[in-house]
Amino acid sequence: MDDTRPERLAAGKYLLVTSYRKDGTPVATPVWVVGDGDGLGVWTTADSYKVKRIRRRADVLVGPCDVRGRPTGEQVPGTAEIADAATTARYRGLIARKYGIVGRLTLLGSRLRRGTDGTVGIRVTLAP
């Protein structure tokens, strides 16, 4: 079974997103994931290092993983972009729906701590 199609990756609980430092060193981070049409959506803090790395270099590797970031399938190349405010808000809603009470509590805590501008969505498009 192909676990690297966007709909299969979006159905998983965690996605391992590997972005790259200035010197090319890969850094893998497990994140919650939602489907976004033919791509994937991720939600994170706006000042995180992964956001800074993606702003500098959009190519990423993504694949299924467990909560600790251990890969559970193949990593595939993709392109990441920081989403606008409307898309980020849509990702918040999708995360609340997919992850239930844990997702809602996490979103609430984040909103209380950082406000809505303290987080961003990241849209990942898989390479053909």
Side-chain angles (χ1 to χ4, degrees), residues 15 17 31-34 40-44 91 95 120-122 124:
L15 182 72
V17 176
V31 292
W32 282 346
V33 60
V34 294
L40 303 166
V42 171
W43 169 81
T44 190
Y91 288 173
I95 285 170
V120 295
I122 299 172
V124 177

Side-chain angles (χ1 to χ4, degrees), residues 8-85:
R8 294 284 296 160
L9 290 170
K13 194 163 186 174
Y14 299 98
L15 182 72
L16 191 62
V17 176
T18 302
S19 54
Y20 301 91
R21 292 186 178 136
K22 284 182 188 177
D23 66 3
T25 305
V27 180
T29 309
V31 292
W32 282 346
V33 60
V34 294
D36 184 18
D38 61 348
L40 303 166
V42 171
W43 169 81
T44 190
T45 59
D47 60 353
S48 69
Y49 284 108
K50 77 177 127 320
V51 169
K52 293 173 185 176
R53 289 189 298 266
I54 287 169
R55 285 189 200 282
R56 189 177 335 98
R57 182 176 166 181
D59 61 310
V60 294
L61 290 175
V62 295
C65 71
D66 66 14
V67 67
R68 297 199 182 271
R70 291 183 291 244
T72 59
E74 180 185 356
Q75 295 271 296
V76 295
T79 303
E81 63 180 307
I82 307 307
D84 60 22

